[in-house]
Amino acid sequence: METRLLEYFVTVADERNVTRASERLFVAQSTVSAGLASLERELRVRLFERTTKTVTLLPSGEALLPLARELLDDLEGLRQAATESGSGLRGRVRIGTFAALQVLDLPVILAGFRREHPLVDIQLVASPTGSTGLLDDLAHGRLDLALTAVPAPPDLDSWPLVQVEFVALLPEGHRLASARSVSLADLAADDWVDVLPGFGNRVQLDHVLAERGIVRHIAAELAELPNVAPCVAAGFGVAVVPDVVDSTGCVRVPLTEPMAPWVLSLAVRHGAGRRPQIRALIENIRVAAGTPQLP
């Protein structure tokens, strides 16, 4: 079986579209289509249901996909081990992160990694839909690693790096500004400031509010967590956020009923950690965060 046919299969499965897959592979669309047909003939099974507009994995394709990913990861690791024996690590790592991440000094970590491994190309990617978008990019092969604040699905490996408690941010002069603590119900009638849907802290807070039957009015949805506090300070509303932002101009109040902490994790596809450059970067990030190294 030719490796390139498996590459075609995995990329089309990721993109759910032959045209986008061919663009990612820098191969003609007709070549990808012919390669998929050849693979299906060789395996004697249909992998996709294809129409003029959509590509859908059949159960046989779903079963084959993780095996194909693992095989390609192993082959890539073998190639790199052969070429790196005398020149050090090389290759590319695409890592998804937040545009204004404050809890982990990723630029310093990556700069140190590049000094140690100058032949590894690091590409930083952000997502407008936060953690959920990053996990989707990771699951579909558009990223190799991702920092995320929502639980990773079973087909991804993840390691917690940082845990932070949630706090309430109130404008100075708010009726509860002098309280020793506040509950989510205490703030239900206020206008709120929050990040966009899809970001980990928003997903977690929305879930807790729904569990407690609390309906709120969001007056401002922002693309970056550090922008929440200035809006609160200006009197635009209240907020409940992980205690990682500069709260200058706000009154920071603990929650009466603490939520589960906001957890920043590092996620990777199963098997991708066998690629030497990805494994090395995972270890560097985990050491910097003070978490145990990989076995």
Side-chain angles (χ1 to χ4, degrees):
M1 181 182 298
E2 296 183 52
T3 303
R4 65 182 179 84
L5 300 183
L6 291 179
E7 292 173 347
Y8 294 170
F9 165 62
V10 169
T11 307
V12 171
D14 286 341
E15 296 294 339
R16 296 296 198 271
N17 183 281
V18 175
T19 300
R20 289 196 300 269
S22 64
E23 291 171 352
R24 223 174 99 184
L25 292 163
F26 300 102
V27 174
Q29 183 175 336
S30 58
T31 302
V32 174
S33 295
L36 292 178
S38 176
L39 181 62
E40 289 176 327
R41 285 195 300 272
E42 185 171 350
L43 295 175
R44 298 182 181 180
V45 66
R46 289 182 63 209
L47 302 172
F48 295 102
E49 182 71 43
R50 294 191 286 273
T51 69
T52 56
K53 294 183 178 180
T54 63
V55 176
T56 304
L57 270 177
L58 294 172
S60 53
E62 294 281 4
L64 178 62
L65 184 57
L67 301 176
R69 288 194 197 281
E70 290 184 14
L71 179 56
L72 291 175
D73 285 333
D74 286 341
L75 289 173
E76 180 64 19
L78 180 64
R79 293 190 192 102
Q80 291 179 4
T83 59
E84 290 160 5
S85 56
S87 61
L89 293 180
R90 63 175 66 237
R92 180 184 67 172
V93 182
R94 301 160 298 173
I95 180 167
T97 184
F98 310 115
L101 182 68
Q102 300 293 320
V103 294
L104 192 68
D105 200 344
L106 192 60
V108 170
I109 296 171
L110 296 181
F113 182 85
R114 286 296 304 277
R115 286 192 294 271
E116 185 179 356
H117 306 291
L119 299 179
V120 177
D121 179 28
I122 302 292
Q123 297 180 0
L124 281 175
V125 181
S127 171
T129 52
S131 291
T132 54
L134 292 172
L135 285 181
D136 184 69
D137 286 340
L138 184 62
H140 287 88
R142 294 184 286 269
L143 294 173
D144 300 304
L145 295 173
L147 294 169
T148 175
V150 295
D155 58 336
L156 300 177
D157 295 322
S158 68
W159 304 272
L161 301 176
V162 178
Q163 295 190 15
V164 180
E165 298 298 325
F166 280 82
V167 296
L169 299 183
L170 310 178
E172 294 179 355
H174 189 275
R175 69 184 189 283
L176 296 174
S178 60
R180 297 183 62 181
S181 64
V182 298
S183 69
L184 296 177
D186 291 334
L187 303 175
D190 285 87
D191 286 338
W192 286 64
V193 180
D194 211 335
V195 292
L196 293 167
F199 283 74
N201 59 295
R202 170 73 181 270
V203 171
Q204 188 172 347
L205 178 58
D206 282 347
H207 179 71
V208 172
L209 291 170
E211 280 188 333
R212 299 180 186 179
I214 297 173
V215 178
R216 60 175 175 160
H217 173 253
I218 299 178
E221 291 183 323
L222 306 171
E224 295 180 3
L225 183 58
N227 292 338
V228 170
C231 278
V232 173
F236 212 75
V238 302
V240 172
V241 296
D243 194 13
V244 295
V245 300
D246 180 359
S247 58
T248 301
C250 304
V251 179
R252 177 183 164 280
V253 185
L255 294 175
T256 303
E257 301 170 324
M259 297 168 48
W262 177 83
V263 179
L264 179 70
S265 298
L266 180 65
V268 62
R269 286 188 295 102
H270 290 333
R274 291 196 288 269
R275 298 187 181 189
Q277 78 277 24
I278 295 177
R279 182 182 180 90
L281 183 54
I282 291 172
E283 291 176 345
N284 277 37
I285 293 173
R286 296 187 71 191
V287 167
T291 59
Q293 296 188 50
L294 296 174

